[in-house]
Amino acid sequence: MKWYHKLIYSAVNAILPASVKRQMMGVGISTVPANNNSLGIFNWLPKKYQRAHNIDLTKLQSYTAEELLELLISVHPDISHALYTYLRMGDTELSFTAKKNGSDDEAGQRELDAIKEMLETSLPSPGYQHGRSLDKLDTIQRMMIMVRGACAGEVVLNERCNDVIDIVPVDPSLIWFRREPDTNRLVPWQYVKNPHPKSGEEWFGQYKKIDTPTFIYEEFDPMVDDPYGRTPILPVLQAVFFHLQVLQDLKAVIHNQGYPRLDISMLEEIMLKNIPPSMKNDPKAQQTWLKERMDEMLNHFNSLNPDDALVHWDSVKVEYLKGGNSGPMIDIKKLIDIIDTQMATGLKTLLTLLSRHQGSTESYSSVDTQIYIKSVESARSVTKRFWKRAFSMAARVRGVQTLVEADYSPIDLRSEMERVRDMRAKINNYVLAEKELYITAEEAATEARWIMGLNPKIPAELLDPLKKKHVSDSNQQIPPNGGD
């Protein structure tokens, strides 16, 4: 954008009434936090990770898929570990590049750097400000891709709609879309638990219309006519249900058969010999008396501690329970292996990353790792689209028209020694290509500097030596017979 374009833009922006700009762009934050309470009471935010452990995991079918995934990432070891590994694996540097007509845009790059710096700076406030940073926002959005199947957020503008003051994430599970009857355009609405409508807002019950260009929603692997996207770990729910049922059955089996139990026999013949004389001819009284003696013995043995001595009359016979189930037994190890495989498949992760090792060879493990990295990069492509739209919107609000490219640094699992060795091999390839006159010395130097992490632009003091690198020295003596 030329200087006079910026001048015209600033003039028009100053002339337009604030009400018109608010209608066009929105002012402040249009979305509502999920834990907002407009009543002004009981505003204490619960600690979800503490509340999650109070839920009965045997009754998970009563929850929705969104609630289940949010719950299980805090209480289920495999799902929590899979999400943790995914977030750490994709935690590489996020960079933004401004382009115009295929080349770098210096003015646009300055604006992108300023927006990035704005996100790293606290908002002006005399009181406490919750920390914000681009890395934190990006981690939240990448987590939403796995848990919700989409990421959403809003570019928050100031009162005059001529600058960006924040970029806030929004829970995609609260967003619902409606089609306009005339244009078939998708319009987002946000569900608000405690609605408090204000003037100028459009509501439908507990749903607030978020029809503003500053709101951004990006979905992951959507179906046709389904703008919500699909979370890649949703299929794990069925494996989790089966896994929990198996664990409950194992608990019952271990409790019943996993520990030695006492077999106590009360000799009925001896007991009848010691029955009171008044009951010998009364069968009903005999049964009552025998039951009382049985209950006494049962209460006595139930009250014993594990290390108490066992003292009893010889009318009671005590030994360990013998025998066992002679029928076919299930190989529990094979069953657990099947559940582990289903769990890893549902989580789109590797058994190795879940600390399961089922004898994979090194070649297969290497291929699996590369596939997993591709999966992480595929999920990050959604957040790249989100950040591209967010920074493009922020740049346009500031009066700069530029093409924004967002990208993450590659995921590199190599050790420092392996990286140095590979860098040396790449540089040697360019040295050989330059020696065989496949490329020029300047091209080889540019590529070598880029590989070493330096500015690819060759310094002026090195240009002349590079140009003279293959020029023969006129004073050099040629050996007789052409040399060796």
Side-chain angles (χ1 to χ4, degrees), residues 60-89:
L60 294 179
Q61 283 84 349
S62 60
Y63 295 90
T64 64
E66 290 87 356
E67 293 172 336
L68 278 174
L69 291 177
E70 185 176 353
L71 168 68
L72 292 174
I73 61 175
S74 297
V75 299
H76 196 278
D78 289 337
I79 299 180
S80 175
H81 186 63
L83 178 63
Y84 181 86
T85 304
Y86 159 78
L87 292 177
R88 302 293 84 77
M89 181 77 76

Side-chain angles (χ1 to χ4, degrees), residues 476-484:
Q476 183 178 1
Q477 297 293 329
I478 301 177
N481 300 325
D484 295 334

